[in-house]
Amino acid sequence: MGKMPDGKARTALADDALVPDPNLPPTAVDEATREAEERKWTPTKIAIWAAIALLGGVAWFMLAIVRGETVNAIWFVFASVCTYLIGYRFYSKVIERYITRPNDRRATPAEYKADGKDYVRTDRNVLFGHHFAAIAGAGPLVGPVIAAQMGYLPGTIWIIIGVVLAGAVQDYLVLFFSMRRGGRSLGQMAREELGVIGGTAALIATLLIMVIIVAILALVVVNALGESPWGVFSVGMTIPIALFMGVYLRFIRPGKVLEVSLIGFVLLMAAIIGGGVVAETEWGAAFFHLDKVTIAWGLIIYGFIAAILPVWLLLAPRDYLSTFMKIGVIVMLALAIIVVRPEITVPAFSEFASRENGPVFPGALFPFLFVTIACGALSGFHALISSGTTPKLIEKERQTRLIGYGGMLMESFVAIMALVAAISIDRGLYFAMNSPAALTGGTVETAATWVNSLGLAGVNLTPDLLAETARNVGEESIVSRTGGAPTLAVGLAHIMQQFIGGTAMMAFWYHFAIMFEALFILTAVDAGTRVARFMLQDSIGNFIPKFKEHSWRPGAWLCTAVMVGAWGAVLLMGVTDPLGGINTLFPLFGIANQLLAAIALSVCLAIAAKRGSFKYLWIVALPLAFAAVVTITASFQKIFSPVPAVGYFANNAAFSKALADGKTEFGTAKTVAAMEAVVRNTMIQGWLSVIFVVLSIIVIITGIIATVNAFRNEAAGVAHDDHEDPAVPSRGYAPAGLIPTAAERELMAEWNKLPAELRLEKPGHH
């Protein structure tokens, strides 16, 4: 057998097999023309990129090297945006050229499998919004806020550098490889590429991790809305608004996306303003003042209903609405930071950066910062979206870079804005809001005394400041409002009131931010439940084929009930946790999420190796190695650490001994029932950590074995198993990036001249 052609040659052979329709214009820009356009550097272009690099360099210098008494928030905006632009223009191009090698002459699954339901050619700008709405859940809002305990610099470096080298790489590669395989899920790809053992481990790990992810997302909503009548009313109103938008878009004015989004936005503003009015009435304050357990049950019921309703009725309109809100609010916040230029007094590395006993979350900077900030830098949850709905909607192969890599950069910017908002408020206020009630005592007096006892440099918190802040934002109390969302809302209100409206507008901005965050998170809760239901149906379908029919209602309802029951149980465990649910569960969420990223990167490593991209495997191996080391270290610490604040089993043993000794209260648990709850919760969390890390190690090892085998096969000239769908010639054209190039505009003009009967229908709004 002769030596096998390398990756590039293999792609060229596949390209030659594609016979285009002679009656149609070219379906891709000529390769030589595109190369010439990319390599043409005019003096203006050189000056622009030199200015971006210089501004980015100055911003990083101000953040990382200068570090005076205070640092201006404007440098966070410049450092992130300049780094994203350089990463997108240069690093993602290297990945495109040497690993993915897209070919616009090939039809995408949205074209050759078009069914008007799951496979729909979707305009790249609309799809960017869809994808961003689906990946941007609570993670980029919550992780950076909680991690601010360590100071501003570690989180900033991980969010910005981590996304360019890890998070965006994973999202782009999973999206591209799934698209080439007809939109197959991560679990299915793992089964094909890593064999039965690796594939089965990946499938089980993915399902279990999904349960934890959705539960934590829901817990953030519960913590933000608990005992807040204004928040409960405003967020509750988003459900009928989304239903109205779904009906409007389906039956009243089909296809009018911008129109319905503007109506939705106006209704949202009315819901926020109305929430303030309702909360001040006697009946409103009584009716919408709900405890956390009640809200948790409401979310569980909502999750079930939302996941079984048709996608056009609730999920899609909420996507439109939340995308406008998400990108709009973040851009508005960035503008406000540039105008207001708030001074940050938080140190680059805080007192807790070198300690394991932080009040917001326990554990040392390495590895726990990197699992606390998951979404925004690297997130395994994204791999489920990138191999879920998005690959079934892409028009052209080259658009995967904009949507996969570019969409993740946008999410990272959300994370940076969240971090800036959290560190712009008083440091004492930050610790009073993010530490559990068992430590703060729950009142403004006890919280102020406790925060001042931490011995933080420059912090002197008064009960008056806590009471006044609560008054300004229209809440009864802001003490121990854990979960990150309330802190981000206070930070956003603090910056925005300096930009528009003054102190009188703080309550509006606070509840606007809570609404904004709840929209973010509810999108992820209902989308996550739906994806989890599909995954469970596919898994059971391996044994009972009927379950693979997603339209079979009994199967859909049963699998939805199972998944909602599973994450609902974890949610209730978190809500009633005496240690502060988010404080103990968020590390488990972060570890699970990053282990999922390691699983996704292992699959990508094996696929890239089989494609012959050996010289550039380091692009995948680097983030995989980092994710594996960080998450396995964090898992081992949570399992084996003798420090009760860090180790689940050490905590379990301490509380079990206290119960055996006949104590009626211990540590943060003030009753026997609370002590028993800690014993039960830590045991469940500990064993979940064990299961996650064992399954992930199996997947990583099988991924490395598949890569080594690919290398051996290449050397021996043996052909690899290729699980890509057969290449089909495309019959349409669309530009690759946000702004079409000159050559793309020229080709688009040719397509626009075609008679209607030869043209593919214009891409729809899925």
Side-chain angles (χ1 to χ4, degrees):
M1 189 187 222
K3 188 150 172 35
M4 219 180 83
D6 67 12
K8 264 199 165 173
R10 227 177 285 137
T11 308
L13 290 175
D15 292 354
D16 292 340
L18 292 169
V19 181
D21 187 328
N23 300 316
L24 296 175
T27 52
V29 170
D30 177 68
E31 201 63 22
T33 308
R34 199 179 50 74
E35 288 271 335
E37 255 187 350
E38 277 179 16
R39 292 194 167 155
K40 188 181 175 189
W41 283 83
T42 60
T44 311
K45 201 172 171 184
I46 292 167
I48 289 168
W49 283 106
I52 290 169
L54 185 64
L55 180 59
V58 169
W60 276 113
F61 184 75
M62 295 302 291
L63 290 176
I65 311 295
V66 175
R67 303 210 309 253
E69 288 291 308
T70 61
V71 61
N72 200 297
I74 203 169
W75 298 118
F76 290 90
V77 178
F78 292 149
S80 55
V81 172
C82 294
T83 308
Y84 298 151
L85 289 171
I86 290 167
Y88 182 74
R89 171 60 185 84
F90 299 100
Y91 195 61
S92 73
K93 270 284 175 195
V94 171
I95 298 169
E96 183 181 71
R97 183 180 290 259
Y98 298 109
I99 296 183
T100 57
R101 302 188 292 273
N103 174 15
D104 275 352
R105 288 162 58 199
R106 286 176 72 137
T108 62
E111 189 179 329
Y112 67 81
K113 283 189 170 188
D115 62 3
K117 292 175 187 168
D118 295 319
Y119 293 88
V120 182
R121 286 170 62 252
T122 306
D123 178 86
R124 67 194 184 286
N125 300 321
V126 175
L127 185 56
F128 183 92
H130 270 307
H131 183 73
F132 174 71
I135 63 172
L141 303 175
V142 178
V145 173
I146 293 175
Q149 167 180 273
M150 298 288 188
Y152 73 76
L153 193 57
T156 302
I157 293 173
W158 171 229
I159 290 167
I160 299 175
I161 306 301
V163 75
V164 170
L165 298 179
V169 174
Q170 175 211 253
D171 288 20
Y172 177 25
L173 291 179
V174 171
L175 177 58
F176 184 85
F177 293 148
S178 173
M179 177 203 65
R180 275 283 174 97
R181 285 157 179 74
R184 289 209 263 293
S185 70
L186 180 66
Q188 285 174 300
M189 289 200 291
R191 215 175 153 81
E192 289 171 351
E193 305 300 336
L194 308 181
V196 177
I197 295 172
T200 306
L203 215 58
I204 297 167
T206 306
L207 267 173
L208 287 174
I209 288 168
M210 195 67 175
V211 168
I212 296 296
I213 289 173
V214 179
I216 303 294
L217 295 175
L219 184 56
V220 173
V221 178
V222 171
N223 282 350
L225 300 182
E227 290 152 10
S228 168
W230 189 337
V232 169
F233 175 85
S234 297
V235 171
M237 285 304 293
T238 65
I239 297 167
I241 291 171
L243 292 170
F244 164 74
M245 288 172 67
V247 172
Y248 188 93
L249 207 54
R250 180 83 168 189
F251 301 112
I252 302 169
R253 299 271 286 168
K256 302 291 182 185
V257 179
L258 186 63
E259 186 179 299
V260 80
S261 296
L262 288 172
I263 294 169
F265 180 74
V266 171
L267 290 173
L268 267 188
M269 293 301 102
I272 299 171
I273 296 161
V277 176
V278 169
E280 288 190 5
T281 64
E282 205 173 306
W283 67 269
F287 188 76
F288 293 105
H289 189 280
L290 305 177
D291 62 54
K292 291 181 180 180
V293 175
T294 308
I295 294 172
W297 276 108
L299 268 181
I300 291 166
I301 295 163
Y302 164 80
F304 177 79
I305 295 169
I308 60 171
L309 283 176
V311 83
W312 60 265
L313 186 57
L314 183 62
L315 208 61
R318 171 162 277 145
D319 269 0
Y320 297 135
L321 200 54
S322 59
T323 300
F324 276 90
M325 280 283 282
K326 288 169 182 177
I327 296 176
V329 171
I330 292 306
V331 170
M332 184 174 71
L333 183 57
L335 273 175
I337 288 168
I338 291 168
V339 173
V340 175
R341 298 200 304 283
E343 289 289 333
I344 306 296
T345 56
V346 172
F349 292 91
S350 81
E351 296 84 345
F352 297 106
S354 55
R355 285 155 55 182
E356 285 192 343
N357 62 342
V360 179
F361 71 95
L365 193 151
F366 182 88
F368 287 103
L369 176 98
F370 303 97
V371 295
T372 302
I373 299 176
C375 310
L378 171 66
S379 170
F381 177 70
H382 297 186
L384 304 180
I385 305 296
S386 295
S387 62
T389 51
T390 313
K392 300 177 177 73
L393 306 174
I394 285 189
E395 265 189 289
K396 301 296 284 181
E397 289 199 348
R398 283 195 178 276
Q399 294 173 356
T400 48
R401 185 172 76 102
L402 167 72
I403 291 154
Y405 201 95
M408 182 59 194
L409 294 181
M410 187 71 215
E411 192 192 74
S412 179
F413 190 53
V414 173
I416 281 292
M417 291 297 99
L419 179 70
V420 172
I423 59 179
S424 68
I425 64 172
D426 181 87
R427 275 191 89 201
L429 194 60
Y430 168 83
F431 282 101
M433 287 188 74
N434 287 285
S435 305
L439 294 176
T440 62
T443 69
V444 289
E445 290 79 16
T446 54
T449 306
W450 175 78
V451 168
N452 293 333
S453 74
L454 293 173
L456 303 171
V459 169
N460 183 24
L461 186 64
T462 63
D464 289 350
L465 177 65
L466 287 168
E468 187 194 351
T469 306
R471 239 184 350 265
N472 286 344
V473 299
E475 290 291 311
E476 285 179 24
S477 169
I478 53 159
V479 174
S480 294
R481 295 298 296 273
T482 55
T487 308
L488 173 56
V490 168
L492 186 138
H494 172 69
I495 293 169
M496 289 307 299
Q497 59 92 10
Q498 296 174 65
F499 184 44
I500 302 169
T503 313
M505 282 283 281
M506 262 191 92
F508 171 82
W509 286 120
Y510 175 86
H511 289 94
F512 176 82
I514 290 287
M515 165 87 90
F516 156 71
E517 292 171 294
L519 263 178
F520 248 92
I521 298 160
L522 285 175
T523 305
V525 168
D526 46 29
T529 304
R530 195 175 281 265
V531 170
R533 182 249 285 182
F534 288 149
M535 284 158 47
L536 185 61
Q537 279 185 269
D538 287 342
S539 304
I540 298 174
N542 291 326
F543 309 100
I544 309 168
K546 185 76 176 163
F547 273 87
K548 284 202 171 178
E549 295 174 24
H550 291 165
S551 57
W552 183 50
R553 302 325 292 166
W557 290 5
L558 177 66
C559 291
T560 303
V562 169
M563 295 314 290
V564 169
W567 67 252
V570 178
L571 169 63
L572 289 167
M573 183 174 82
V575 168
T576 56
D577 189 348
L579 299 176
I582 201 78
N583 305 71
T584 53
L585 276 172
F586 206 83
L588 182 63
F589 162 79
I591 291 167
N593 197 15
Q594 304 303 64
L595 285 171
L596 189 52
I599 289 170
L601 286 163
S602 300
V603 174
C604 290
L605 185 74
I607 293 174
K610 289 176 183 180
R611 287 167 64 87
S613 308
F614 294 106
K615 207 192 281 187
Y616 294 92
L617 272 189
W618 61 269
I619 290 172
V620 194
L622 186 74
L624 171 59
F626 186 76
V629 168
V630 162
T631 45
I632 292 168
T633 306
S635 297
F636 275 45
Q637 286 195 24
K638 295 304 285 184
I639 296 164
F640 298 113
S641 173
V643 180
V646 178
Y648 285 129
F649 292 116
N651 210 345
N652 180 279
F655 275 85
S656 297
K657 185 178 182 305
L659 279 170
D661 292 345
K663 292 182 179 173
T664 55
E665 60 173 276
F666 182 71
T668 53
K670 302 301 178 193
T671 63
V672 172
M675 291 165 71
E676 287 169 347
V678 173
V679 170
R680 183 179 65 250
N681 293 355
T682 48
M683 183 59 71
I684 294 168
Q685 289 157 359
W687 279 109
L688 279 173
S689 292
V690 172
I691 294 165
F692 289 162
V693 77
V694 169
L695 290 171
S696 303
I697 289 170
I698 292 169
V699 176
I700 293 165
I701 290 170
T702 53
I704 293 167
I705 291 168
T707 304
V708 171
N709 287 342
F711 188 77
R712 284 180 180 156
N713 289 344
E714 185 87 6
V718 177
H720 305 295
D721 292 332
D722 188 357
H723 296 108
E724 288 187 2
D725 282 8
V728 176
S730 178
R731 294 183 53 81
Y733 178 68
L738 209 56
I739 302 161
T741 63
E744 286 178 333
R745 284 197 301 272
E746 217 172 279
L747 189 50
M748 280 302 295
E750 276 188 63
W751 277 90
N752 289 336
K753 286 176 194 164
L754 268 186
E757 64 272 12
L758 287 176
R759 228 183 298 169
L760 271 177
E761 273 184 48
K762 273 198 186 295
H765 304 301
H766 178 62

